[in-house]
């Protein structure tokens, strides 16, 4: 089966799965259906062979397995997968969100910009209408007030007239379209800065929201809300971990417990994933608070510089104040972006909460209290503190390389496998416990592993390859661990969240300084010898051969002769004798025209009053 045919089959399967789930009143996205197909194929219990083409029976069975998993409302594993798909589809970094918001704003204002740049106003009424459109564009783009509020329109028009009077519309209309758009952006920034300055001076701006005050109030509330959600998930994870350890220690199971370990593991993975996503959002909100502090400080300093430049003067050079106005507008736009980003993060936290519903239904609080009767619940911090006392001794595992904080530079920046979770406890108990790097980090095949205890580190280091393979087997049975433990490099087709969320401006990964063995070798003959006998380097020789071949194409044999017949042919030869020929190339010729000779007498007058005029023509005739 070709790649195109395989893609077509997968698309048909996804379409059928989505349709069947909708028919059963379960909304399923194409992304979730595709993820579930890969999860079902990876599960070894389903016995799908990816090396051979799927038969009709395999396709039908694959479709039915996916549908059964997707319509299961009491599956924490399905809720975890849905949570991961939702987060990957909706989470965006700060920079991507700002760019997306900018594109949406440009698309929204595109008709207004088109009307302004393409208007050919001639009459006074048309010019006034064009000016009103420019005011509306500035209001819509700045987001400072409604474009239908008369006070806002009056205030914006006054600010615009101070820098761009209506008499300059003729010059504006003569510009090119790109120049018009650029001038509109500059006018928007300048007018926005003027309005902000007037608001700070108490001369208007009542409809402009106080963004610094709003953010100063909203960020602590959002941080507190996210920390409460994060704390709830962490408490559940600690309780589920304690219950799971208790169930595994008691061979017959805890008293009065009908809960299976597999279902409890799914619930643990569910709350651990919610904890990981909540931490990502909390880090973004904390970073948002830092950005807001910087923007507010720059805004206040810029406002003070502008006040010192203006003071009480009624006229100020534009070269002094326009840069300050544009800087104020840029800082205010940054505050607006932070409000949008904070709103998106709050919506993300609220939207992630329903994905914890399945595990909370079969594990109510009263049952959890019953299972925790007499069981000590330890937090991750307590476990790390207890295990930090026992550091790994490299002499116990001489064949393995261990890294310690005292001997490794940038130790905190090591790219730990399984997202810092202990691989041995996952293999042994299916439990997710955070590893303690202070015990020692195992470097195996240029990868770094941490463990929750010294005993777990020793047992894992005794046969690391087998343990790594067992981890992969567990992940195939629980596909939600691929995203949770960031094992995308081992399982193709799953988009890693780290590639989606990492941005060069906010998080920079400093590569740790570690030892590595490397070698290089240069081949004796990188390219196989291939001598072409007919190769010719001389260009003129190639031309000579080409001319020779061209001449041979015109050579045709018309007759043939033998030794006996060559005397029988008639030969005729014609000779042209020389002859005398003469020709004349030049002939001299002359011509002469008689010179006119005319005499006039009696012009000076005489004794008589009457003048007698006599004309005598002595010119010789032409034909003489």
């Amino acid at each position: 089966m070709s790649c195109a045919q395989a893609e077509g089959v997968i698309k048909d399967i996804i379409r059928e799965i989505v349709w069947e789930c909708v028919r059963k009143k379960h909304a399923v996205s194409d992304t979730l259906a595709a993820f579930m197909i890969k999860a079902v194929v990876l599960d070894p219990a389903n016995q799908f062979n990816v090396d051979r083409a799927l038969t009709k029976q395999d396709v039908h069975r694959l479709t039915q397995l996916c549908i059964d998993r997707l319509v299961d409302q009491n599956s924490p594993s399905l809720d975890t997968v849905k949570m991961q798909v939702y987060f990957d589809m909706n989470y965006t970094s700060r920079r991507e969100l700002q760019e997306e918001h900018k594109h949406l704003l440009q698309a929204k204002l595109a008709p207004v910009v088109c009307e302004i740049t393409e208007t050919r106003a001639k009459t006074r009424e048309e010019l006034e209408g064009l000016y009103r459109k420019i005011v509306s564009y500035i209001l819509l783009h700045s987001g400072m007030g409604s474009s239908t509020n008369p006070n806002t329109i009056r205030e914006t028009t006054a600010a615009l007239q101070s820098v761009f009077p209506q008499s300059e519309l003729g010059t504006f209309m003569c510009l090119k379209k790109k120049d018009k758009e650029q001038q509109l952006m500059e006018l928007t920034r300048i007018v926005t800065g003027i309005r902000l300055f007037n608001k700070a001076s108490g001369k208007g701006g009542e409809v402009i929201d106080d963004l610094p005050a709003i953010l100063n109030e909203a960020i602590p509330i959002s941080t507190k809300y996210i920390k409460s959600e994060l704390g709830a998930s962490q408490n559940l994870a600690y309780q589920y971990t304690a219950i799971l350890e208790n169930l595994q220690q008691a061979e017959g199971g805890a008293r009065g417990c009908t809960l299976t370990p597999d279902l409890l593991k799914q619930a643990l993975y569910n709350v651990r994933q919610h904890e990981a996503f909540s931490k990502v959002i909390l880090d973004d909100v904390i970073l948002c608070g830092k950005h807001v502090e910087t923007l507010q400080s720059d805004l206040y300093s810029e406002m003070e510089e502008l006040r010192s430049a203006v003071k009480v003067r009624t006229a100020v050079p534009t070269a002094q104040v326009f840069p300050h106005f544009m800087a104020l507008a840029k800082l205010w736009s940054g505050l607006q972006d932070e409000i949008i980003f904070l709103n998106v993060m709050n919506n993300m936290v609220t939207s992630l909460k329903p994905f914890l519903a399945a595990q909370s239904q079969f594990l109510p609080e009263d049952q959890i209290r019953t299972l925790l009767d007499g069981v000590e619940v330890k937090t991750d911090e307590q476990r790390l503190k207890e295990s930090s006392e026992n550091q790994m001794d490299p002499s116990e595992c001489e064949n393995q390389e261990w890294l310690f904080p005292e001997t490794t530079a940038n130790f905190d920046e090591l790219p730990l496998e399984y997202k810092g979770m202990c691989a041995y406890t996952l293999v042994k108990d299916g439990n997710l416990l955070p590893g303690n790097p202070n015990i020692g980090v195992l470097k195996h095949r240029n990868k770094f592993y941490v463990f929750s205890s010294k005993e777990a580190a020793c047992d894992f280091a005794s046969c690391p390859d087998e343990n790594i393979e067992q981890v992969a087997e567990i992940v195939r049975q629980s596909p939600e661990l691929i995203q949770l433990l960031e094992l995308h490099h081992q399982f193709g087709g799953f988009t890693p969240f780290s590639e989606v969320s990492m941005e060069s401006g906010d998080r920079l990964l400093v590569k740790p300084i570690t030892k590595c063995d490397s070698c290089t070798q240069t081949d004796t003959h990188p390219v196989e010898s291939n001598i072409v006998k007919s190769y010719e380097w001389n260009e003129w020789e190639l031309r000579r051969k080409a001319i020779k071949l061209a001449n041979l194409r015109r050579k045709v044999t018309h007759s043939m002769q033998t030794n006996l017949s060559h005397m029988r042919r008639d030969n005729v030869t014609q000779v042209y004798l020389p002859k005398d020929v003469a020709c004349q190339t030049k002939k001299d010729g002359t011509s002469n025209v008689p010179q006119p000779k005319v005499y006039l007498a009696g012009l000076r007058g005489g004794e008589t009053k009457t003048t007698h005029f006599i004309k005598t023509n002595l010119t010789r005739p032409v034909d003489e």
Side-chain angles (χ1 to χ4, degrees):
M1 183 181 294
S2 63
C3 182
Q5 292 176 345
E7 290 180 359
V9 172
I10 293 174
K11 290 181 180 179
D12 293 339
I13 296 174
I14 293 174
R15 193 180 300 110
E16 184 176 356
I17 291 173
V18 173
W19 185 83
E20 287 292 335
C21 291
V22 171
R23 193 173 62 86
K24 294 182 179 182
K25 298 181 180 180
H26 288 80
V28 175
S29 63
D30 293 347
T31 305
L32 180 58
F35 186 95
M36 190 57 64
I37 290 174
K38 297 172 186 176
V40 170
V41 172
L42 283 177
D43 192 350
N46 297 324
Q47 298 180 353
F48 282 103
N49 188 1
V50 296
D51 296 330
R52 65 177 180 85
L54 296 176
T55 62
K56 292 184 178 180
Q57 292 78 8
D58 294 337
V59 173
H60 178 72
R61 189 165 65 91
L62 174 60
T63 305
Q64 194 60 40
L65 288 173
C66 293
I67 294 173
D68 293 341
R69 287 195 180 188
L70 290 172
V71 299
D72 188 4
Q73 297 182 355
N74 298 322
S75 173
S77 176
L78 177 61
D79 281 352
T80 306
V81 173
K82 289 181 178 180
M83 186 193 310
Q84 294 169 351
V85 172
Y86 171 81
F87 195 86
D88 285 344
M89 296 297 293
N90 293 274
Y91 178 83
T92 56
S93 62
R94 179 188 309 276
R95 186 175 304 171
E96 292 174 350
L97 183 63
Q98 292 176 358
E99 293 178 356
E100 182 180 358
H101 176 68
K102 186 184 297 183
H103 292 328
L104 290 175
L105 183 61
Q106 291 177 355
K108 181 180 178 181
L109 296 178
V112 182
V113 175
C114 186
E115 290 182 4
I116 295 174
T117 55
E118 295 182 359
T119 299
R120 296 293 182 266
K122 296 181 180 180
T123 62
R124 182 176 180 180
E125 291 77 9
E126 293 176 349
L127 292 174
E128 292 178 353
L130 177 60
Y131 202 77
R132 287 193 296 269
K133 291 179 181 178
I134 296 176
V135 173
S136 300
Y137 170 81
I138 293 174
L139 282 172
L140 293 173
H141 192 279
S142 63
M144 295 168 53
S146 174
S147 59
T148 58
N149 190 341
N151 295 330
T152 305
I153 295 175
R154 190 181 306 109
E155 179 182 339
T156 307
T157 304
L160 180 61
Q161 287 178 349
S162 63
V163 295
F164 183 73
Q166 190 171 348
S167 58
E168 296 185 7
L169 284 176
T171 306
F172 174 79
M173 294 173 58
C174 296
L175 298 175
K176 296 181 180 179
K177 185 175 181 180
K178 292 184 178 180
D179 296 336
K180 291 180 181 178
E181 295 176 356
Q182 183 178 359
Q183 187 169 358
L184 284 175
M185 291 296 299
E186 293 178 357
L187 289 175
T188 302
R189 297 191 186 100
I190 294 172
V191 172
T192 302
I194 293 174
R195 294 185 63 195
L196 291 173
F197 180 73
N198 292 337
K199 176 180 175 61
S201 303
K203 299 179 181 180
E206 291 80 6
V207 296
I208 301 176
D209 297 329
D210 191 357
L211 297 187
I214 294 174
L215 286 169
N216 291 336
E217 180 182 358
I219 290 178
I221 295 175
S222 299
T223 304
K224 183 179 178 180
Y225 171 63
I226 297 172
K227 285 183 177 180
S228 65
E229 295 294 327
L230 176 60
S233 297
Q234 289 177 337
N235 290 332
L236 287 175
Y238 304 152
Q239 294 173 0
Y240 292 164
T241 301
I243 295 172
L244 187 59
E245 291 175 344
N246 187 34
L247 289 177
Q248 292 167 349
Q249 290 176 1
E251 298 179 357
R255 64 182 187 275
C257 178
T258 59
L259 188 64
T260 61
D262 292 337
L263 199 59
L264 187 59
K265 292 176 186 177
Q266 294 181 16
L268 176 61
Y269 302 157
N270 181 259
V271 293
R272 283 292 187 184
Q273 185 64 84
H274 186 267
E275 176 190 357
F277 288 157
S278 299
K279 286 182 178 179
V280 173
I281 297 175
L282 180 61
D283 293 340
D284 287 337
V285 173
I286 293 175
L287 187 62
C288 175
K290 295 179 180 179
H291 285 179
V292 169
E293 292 179 1
T294 304
L295 290 172
Q296 289 182 4
S297 176
D298 295 342
L299 182 66
Y300 295 147
S301 61
E302 195 71 36
M303 192 70 72
E304 292 299 326
E305 291 181 6
L306 185 58
R307 285 175 179 171
S308 61
V310 175
K311 295 182 179 178
V312 294
R313 291 182 292 179
T314 57
V316 184
T318 58
Q320 295 183 8
V321 294
F322 277 11
H324 292 290
F325 289 146
M326 299 181 73
L328 286 177
K330 184 177 180 180
L331 293 172
W332 194 262
S333 177
L335 293 175
Q336 291 175 332
D337 293 338
E338 296 301 330
I339 284 185
I340 296 173
F341 183 76
L342 186 64
N343 187 28
V344 172
M345 292 297 103
N346 288 330
N347 293 336
M348 287 283 296
V349 175
T350 306
S351 301
L352 289 177
K353 196 171 183 179
F355 296 112
L356 301 173
Q359 55 89 15
S360 61
Q361 290 179 0
F362 69 83
L363 275 175
E365 294 183 1
D366 54 350
Q367 186 177 359
I368 293 177
R369 285 193 298 267
T370 303
L371 294 174
L372 289 176
D373 187 14
V375 179
E376 182 183 2
V377 179
K378 297 181 181 180
T379 63
D380 291 343
E381 290 76 12
Q382 292 175 348
R383 294 177 185 272
L384 293 177
K385 185 177 180 180
E386 293 176 358
S387 60
S388 297
E389 300 177 357
N390 298 325
Q391 197 176 46
M392 188 66 191
D393 187 3
S395 60
E396 297 181 7
C397 299
E398 297 180 354
N399 297 329
Q400 302 294 340
E401 182 180 359
W402 295 89
L403 304 179
F404 298 97
E406 301 83 7
T407 59
T408 305
N410 297 331
F411 183 79
D412 297 334
E413 302 296 337
L414 287 173
L416 303 177
E417 290 295 308
Y418 308 127
K419 208 173 181 180
M421 293 294 178
C422 179
Y424 184 75
T425 55
L426 179 62
V427 172
K428 182 181 178 182
D429 306 327
N431 207 340
L432 284 180
L433 292 178
N436 189 353
N438 294 324
I439 297 175
V441 177
L442 173 64
K443 181 181 180 182
H444 180 71
R445 300 183 185 274
N446 291 327
K447 295 181 180 180
F448 306 93
Y449 302 88
V450 290
F451 309 96
S452 59
S453 63
K454 181 180 178 180
E455 294 75 15
C458 293
D459 293 340
F460 186 91
S462 60
C463 47
D465 293 330
E466 296 180 4
N467 288 310
I468 293 172
E469 184 59 33
Q470 291 181 14
V471 171
E473 191 69 20
I474 293 174
V475 170
R476 291 188 183 94
Q477 298 173 4
S478 301
E480 64 270 21
L481 293 177
I482 297 176
Q483 181 83 344
L484 179 57
L485 303 181
E486 295 183 356
L487 298 177
H488 311 94
H489 59 279
Q490 295 186 15
F491 302 93
F494 292 90
T495 303
F497 164 69
S498 58
E499 294 181 1
V500 179
S501 63
M502 187 66 65
E503 57 177 303
S504 58
D506 293 346
R507 304 180 179 89
L508 297 177
L509 179 61
V510 180
K511 187 176 181 180
I513 302 174
T514 58
K515 296 185 298 181
C516 64
D517 297 330
S518 62
C519 60
T520 58
Q521 181 180 357
T522 303
D523 295 335
T524 305
H525 299 288
V527 182
E528 297 180 359
S529 61
N530 185 12
I531 300 175
V532 181
K533 301 297 183 181
S534 60
Y535 173 76
E536 184 63 46
W537 65 270
N538 194 343
E539 179 182 6
W540 295 100
E541 182 64 22
L542 293 174
R543 292 186 179 185
R544 188 186 67 79
K545 290 182 179 180
I547 293 173
K548 183 177 179 180
L549 292 175
N551 290 334
L552 287 177
R553 293 182 59 191
R554 294 196 299 267
K555 305 301 181 182
V556 181
T557 302
H558 295 282
S559 61
M560 60 183 297
Q561 62 183 11
T562 63
N563 292 332
L564 298 178
S565 65
H566 75 283
M567 298 295 295
R568 301 177 185 176
R569 61 181 181 179
D570 297 334
N571 293 330
V572 178
T573 302
Q574 182 179 0
V575 178
Y576 294 94
L577 299 177
K579 60 180 180 179
D580 296 332
V581 178
C583 64
Q584 184 178 1
T585 59
K586 183 178 179 181
K587 181 180 180 181
D588 295 334
T590 59
S591 63
N592 189 13
V593 179
Q595 183 178 3
K597 294 182 180 181
V598 179
Y599 298 93
L600 300 177
L603 294 178
R604 295 181 180 180
E607 298 178 355
T608 62
K609 296 181 179 180
T610 303
T611 303
H612 297 280
F613 175 76
I614 300 173
K615 179 180 180 181
T616 304
N617 187 3
L618 300 179
T619 303
R620 299 177 60 182
V622 178
D623 54 351
E624 184 178 359

